[in-house]
Amino acid sequence: MAAVAISFPEALGATADDPTGEAAGNGRTEPTASKELDAVPPPNTPATATIGTSTRDEREAQTTAFLRVRVGQEEAHYGGNLVDGARILRLFGDLVTEITVRTDGDEGLLAQYSDIRFTAPVRPGDYIEARARLVRQTRLRRVVELEAHKVIRASPEEADSAGEVLDEPQLVCAATATTVVPHRRAHTATARTPTAEEA
């Protein structure tokens, strides 16, 4: 006649001093080893991306630019101490230039803005954050989505130098820009058969 000894892993909550495992929480604890196996992709990185390789869509999604500026008193242009919309468009132009320098090593030539929307006033003392993201590219053209948000608001009604950090950034302008990269500078990685529009 043989005796068989069966041991219960302590990871399940049972110990020699507490065979029922009740002290560990109703007799069960969750295993922790499996949590280490869960892979979480870094922010702004597609979950399907393979290390060392990327598709053109992934490169476009990762090509971004950012600026934060304080609007000066000298930039008030209209009644009510308003700043003209061209000030924001100049920020957008700088962002588009950065995008094409990053993708093609050239500043490119801004061809057009489309879908421009001014959604909130900008006044001296405001802090504006402007962001750009490359969303489409052809052999010679780059299409960039642009947004500008107010993150700090001047509060002259309280005091001449007062300001307020906004709980939520306020969208002040959005647009889409198309820029053209000279053929001699366009990366061979983006080369393809030209469309009728580009021919």
Side-chain angles (χ1 to χ4, degrees), residues 2-185:
V4 179
I6 301 176
S7 62
F8 294 92
E10 294 184 5
L12 296 178
T15 63
D17 296 330
D18 182 23
T20 64
E22 292 180 357
N26 295 328
R28 293 184 63 88
T29 59
E30 293 297 327
T32 57
S34 62
K35 293 182 180 179
E36 298 176 0
L37 302 178
D38 295 336
V40 179
N44 301 322
T45 302
T48 57
T50 302
I51 296 176
T53 64
S54 62
T55 66
R56 188 173 71 178
D57 289 343
E58 289 168 356
R59 288 196 301 271
E60 290 173 358
Q62 295 168 1
T63 305
T64 61
F66 169 84
L67 284 172
R68 178 187 292 165
V69 300
R70 179 185 183 275
V71 179
Q73 187 65 46
E74 72 282 359
E75 296 181 281
H77 187 72
Y78 293 109
N81 221 23
L82 292 177
V83 175
D84 63 316
R87 177 67 178 94
I88 304 301
L89 294 184
R90 288 201 304 273
L91 292 178
F92 285 171
D94 288 343
L95 291 172
V96 172
T97 298
E98 180 178 344
I99 290 285
T100 54
V101 168
R102 289 182 179 278
T103 58
D104 298 277
D106 190 278
E107 292 188 356
L109 301 170
L110 182 60
Q112 72 174 35
Y113 285 117
S114 60
D115 303 323
I116 299 175
R117 295 179 289 115
F118 294 102
T119 57
V122 176
R123 294 184 171 87
D126 292 345
Y127 280 75
I128 303 297
E129 288 185 355
R131 297 177 183 272
R133 182 170 67 92
L134 178 66
V135 295
R136 181 172 174 266
Q137 60 183 15
T138 64
R139 187 169 63 94
L140 297 179
R141 287 179 170 80
R142 311 290 178 256
V143 180
V144 181
E145 285 186 351
L146 301 146
E147 287 188 348
H149 290 83
K150 184 189 305 185
V151 294
I152 294 178
R153 180 182 73 86
S155 303
E157 68 278 3
E158 297 180 10
D160 290 342
S161 57
E164 173 191 4
V165 177
L166 300 180
D167 293 334
E168 293 291 338
Q170 181 181 21
L171 180 68
V172 298
C173 186
T176 300
T178 301
T179 188
V180 178
V181 178
H183 178 66
R184 68 183 183 279
R185 293 286 189 180

